[in-house]
Amino acid sequence: MGILSWIVLGLIAGALARWIMPDKGPRGILVTAVVGVAGAFLGGWIGTGIGLGSVRGFDLVSLFLATVGAAVLLLIYHALRGRDSD
């Protein structure tokens, strides 16, 4: 998958993860893409570990894994941010 495909997949997955888990953090398109691409790597790693497959192309399984990975990253971000504000 080329870099442009990763960015597009990251934007879509990041936007879906933010829709599923709304937050008050930074919401720029660049941050959303970074969260989505990092989520794709994390989702691919998790998916491979539990036998669901990996993020190899632009398909529904890859989009699902990337979105789950981005949502996990947002959960971690919320947990760390919540701990800092106490």
Side-chain angles (χ1 to χ4, degrees):
M1 207 159 73
I3 188 72
L4 187 59
S5 297
W6 276 104
I7 293 170
V8 171
L9 179 68
L11 278 171
I12 295 169
L16 286 172
R18 286 190 183 271
W19 178 70
I20 293 168
M21 303 181 56
D23 66 340
K24 295 183 181 181
R27 296 188 180 265
I29 194 167
L30 182 62
V31 173
T32 300
V34 169
V35 167
V37 170
F41 282 111
L42 181 62
W45 182 72
I46 292 170
T48 300
I50 60 175
L52 290 177
S54 64
V55 178
R56 294 183 186 239
F58 203 103
D59 58 8
L60 288 177
V61 172
S62 295
L63 182 60
F64 173 75
L65 290 173
T67 303
V68 168
V72 168
L73 287 178
L74 288 176
L75 275 173
I76 293 169
Y77 172 77
H78 289 304
L80 293 176
R81 184 177 168 142
R83 206 177 298 157
D84 289 342
S85 64
D86 289 340

